[in-house]
Amino acid sequence: MRLSLALPGEAADLEGPVSEALQVALRDSAIFAPDGAPGSTVQGEAALTREAADAPWVLHVGMAVPDDLRSKFAVAALTTSATAGTDAFRPSTEALTDAARRAIAGLEAQCRLARGDASGLDVLLSSGEPSQILVALRYVGDREAREHAHRLLPLLRSDDMRVRMAVLDVLGSVGTRDHAAAIVREVHRLDPGATREAYRALARLGGADAVGFLRFAAANEDDPELRAEAERALSSALSGKPPSAAEVPRGVDLPKLARGHRQ
C-alpha cells in the first residue's frame, strides 16, 4: 500500500513518526505487507486529526479497494480510524504505533469480511473504535446475521452515542424477543436519542417484555416527544405493523462497507 499523509500544522513535524508507525503496521500485516508482486500496490491516504485541544488525536487511514475484491464491495474505497491518545501537545510514538496497528487491522478486517471470513467481525467489534464498530454493525444488519445479535448487547453501554443507537437499530432488525428483554433492562441507562431508538426496536421485536415496557413508557414518559414515540411503538407492537418510514426517521447513518460474498 502506498499512502499519502496529511498532518495538521500543530503536528507537522510528526511526518516521520507517523510514516514509520504506518510502515511497521503494513509490514506486519497479513494482507498489506509488501510482496514485490507487479501491480500489487494499493493507493491510500492517512491523516492525523483532532477536533479540539482536549479531544483525542485520531489516525485516519483510507485505501482504494484492491482489484481482486472490487466486485465484492459497495464502495470504491475503505476507511478506518483509531485513536492515538489525548496528549495536549502531540501523540507519543507508542500511541501512534498502536493507532496505526489498529487502523490497519480495521482495514484487514473489512477485506476479510468481503472474502466471507467472519473473523473480521471479531476484530471490528472488539476494536474499541466507534468507526470500526459501526462497520461491524452495518455488516450484521445488512446481512441479517441473526447469529451475531447476542454479541451486540454489551455495546448498548458504549460511550459513543452513534454506537448505542446503531446497536438498537440493528437489534430491532435481527434480534429476537429475548433481545427485547435485554433492551428493556438497559433503557434506564440510555440518553433520550437512544431511548427513542429503543422504543422503535422494541416495536419491531414485539413480545410480552416489549409490549409491557412500551405500555408503561406510554403512560409514564415525562418527555412529550418520547411519550409520543412510546405510544407509536406500542401501537406498532400490538398490531404487528411497523411504523412507516415517514413516521420513523432514522437517527444515525452508518458507514458503507464491504458487502461480502453476497451482492
Side-chain angles (χ1 to χ4, degrees):
M1 184 190 297
R2 180 176 298 155
L3 294 172
S4 60
L5 180 60
L7 299 172
E10 59 187 315
D13 59 341
L14 287 177
E15 181 175 357
V18 174
S19 295
E20 175 62 23
L22 288 167
Q23 288 170 16
V24 170
L26 290 169
R27 192 162 57 240
D28 293 341
S29 168
I31 293 179
F32 303 120
D35 58 10
S40 62
T41 301
V42 175
Q43 300 297 327
E45 298 179 349
L48 184 66
T49 67
R50 65 174 173 176
E51 295 182 354
D54 58 348
W57 293 92
V58 180
L59 181 63
H60 307 271
V61 181
M63 54 166 269
V65 174
D67 290 341
D68 63 327
L69 290 176
R70 193 170 297 275
S71 66
K72 299 183 178 182
F73 280 78
V75 292
L78 300 180
T79 60
T80 188
S81 62
T83 53
T86 57
D87 190 283
F89 177 56
R90 66 169 68 191
S92 66
T93 299
E94 293 77 13
L96 287 172
T97 300
D98 183 57
R101 177 186 59 78
R102 288 183 288 112
I104 297 303
L107 293 179
E108 284 185 338
Q110 293 183 58
C111 289
R112 294 187 190 284
L113 287 177
R115 290 170 171 164
D117 180 355
S119 68
L121 190 64
D122 297 327
V123 173
L124 296 172
L125 286 174
S126 63
S127 68
E129 299 291 342
S131 65
Q132 297 190 30
I133 294 171
L134 289 171
V135 169
L137 293 173
R138 172 73 84 182
Y139 178 89
V140 174
D142 279 359
R143 285 153 190 76
E144 299 182 354
R146 302 179 188 281
E147 68 275 18
H148 298 298
H150 68 285
R151 303 172 61 190
L152 309 185
L153 293 174
L155 295 173
L156 288 172
R157 299 190 181 188
S158 169
D159 292 334
D160 191 280
M161 180 192 69
R162 298 168 301 164
V163 170
R164 295 192 298 273
M165 294 180 67
V167 169
L168 290 162
D169 184 34
V170 173
L171 285 176
S173 297
V174 306
T176 66
R177 292 182 175 182
D178 289 339
H179 297 115
I183 291 172
V184 167
R185 290 193 294 269
E186 294 294 328
V187 167
H188 70 283
R189 304 176 186 271
L190 301 176
D191 52 90
T195 297
R196 181 178 293 105
E197 199 69 41
Y199 293 163
R200 295 168 180 171
L202 292 171
R204 285 181 280 170
L205 294 172
D209 289 295
V211 169
F213 179 77
L214 290 172
R215 183 172 280 122
F216 174 84
N220 295 278
E221 179 63 71
D222 293 330
D223 185 303
E225 291 186 3
L226 288 178
R227 183 167 61 251
E229 190 71 55
E231 291 170 351
R232 284 193 294 270
L234 175 61
S235 175
S236 176
L238 289 171
S239 68
K241 296 175 60 177
S244 69
E247 293 175 318
V248 185
R250 302 264 44 98
V252 171
D253 288 328
L254 301 186
K256 294 181 179 179
L257 72 155
R259 294 194 178 278
H261 58 278
R262 191 189 75 181
Q263 295 297 305

